Amino acid sequence: MTTDTVVREARLRPEFAERYPGIDPGVWYTAATLAEHLLARFIRHDASDPTPSPPRILHPGHFEFRGSAGMRGGRITLG
């Protein structure tokens, strides 16, 4: 089965690698999967922190994007 839809992908910029342990900089990941991974990490590790969640899980200054499938610039609201 083939599709004309291009999957949206994201890759971490090398200068922000220390902020995202376990994410290889320069490697293209499916954006939705990467966002789910980072959201789960945020919830697990920062659940007791009263700081609000970031407006975007995949910060546009920290990641590069390619492809066009799915919502662009979607925001996740917790709580």
Side-chain angles (χ1 to χ4, degrees), residues 4-44:
D4 294 330
T5 303
V6 177
V7 174
R8 187 144 169 85
E9 295 178 309
R11 71 176 172 186
L12 178 60
R13 296 176 190 271
E15 60 268 30
F16 296 101
E18 286 185 21
R19 293 183 177 204
Y20 302 90
I23 306 297
D24 295 324
V27 175
W28 288 106
Y29 297 92
T30 303
T33 302
L34 185 56
E36 288 175 4
H37 171 78
L38 292 175
L39 179 59
R41 180 188 296 175
F42 178 82
I43 291 169
R44 277 193 315 271

Side-chain angles (χ1 to χ4, degrees), residues 34-77:
L34 185 56
E36 288 175 4
H37 171 78
L38 292 175
L39 179 59
R41 180 188 296 175
F42 178 82
I43 291 169
R44 277 193 315 271
H45 296 292
D46 298 328
S48 62
D49 186 348
T51 305
S53 67
R56 292 187 179 177
I57 296 300
L58 298 179
H59 188 288
H62 298 182
F63 293 87
E64 295 177 74
F65 299 93
R66 70 179 181 189
S68 61
M71 274 181 31
R72 295 186 115 177
R75 295 177 185 268
I76 298 172
T77 304

